Every structure is written in structure tokens, then in C-alpha cells.
Amino acid sequence: MVIADTSVWVDFLRGSEVSQCETLALLLEEQEVALCDRVLQEVLQGVRGDGEFRRVSARLLALPGYNLGGARRSR
């Protein structure tokens, strides 16, 4: 299972023709991609318009997801 970084998702969703996007497309076909909460948040913050938001969020939320939660410090 692979978790792609926000920058890879942005390029992929924009249709950029770079090797990372080709790799992500192959991994998506093989169902080998997961998503973490932070990447989901960052990608959706950059989406413009309600229609695009619905389309992108539906696609991303269909992937297996992981909650990173962040580090908690004790005092």
C-alpha cells in the first residue's frame, strides 16, 4: 500500500504528465493506494468550486484511509 504526497495528488488531478502521476495511475488501477487525513485535507483545500470538490472528494474518500492524528506531547 502506498500513500502519495499532496504534491503528487495535485499534479495527478491537474493531469500533469510526470512520472509520479503515471506511477500513481498504475497503483490506483492495482488498488494499491491509500490516503491519510492530512493529504486529504491539503488536497481538498486547493479545490475550486463545489462541483470539483464533490468529484475530487468522492474519488479520494473511496480509497482506504489512515488517520495520522499527530504527535501528542505530555507535560
Side-chain angles (χ1 to χ4, degrees), residues 26-71:
L26 291 172
L27 290 168
L28 285 166
E29 286 178 20
E30 297 169 6
Q31 297 181 347
E32 292 293 327
V33 179
L35 192 67
C36 70
D37 53 352
R38 305 259 168 108
V39 171
L40 175 64
Q41 174 192 357
E42 291 171 351
V43 171
L44 292 180
Q45 283 178 327
V47 171
R48 296 185 180 137
D50 292 339
E52 183 180 1
F53 183 89
R54 283 190 296 276
R55 181 182 62 80
V56 170
S57 62
R59 184 172 195 176
L60 296 179
L61 290 171
L63 298 171
Y66 294 93
N67 182 358
L68 298 181

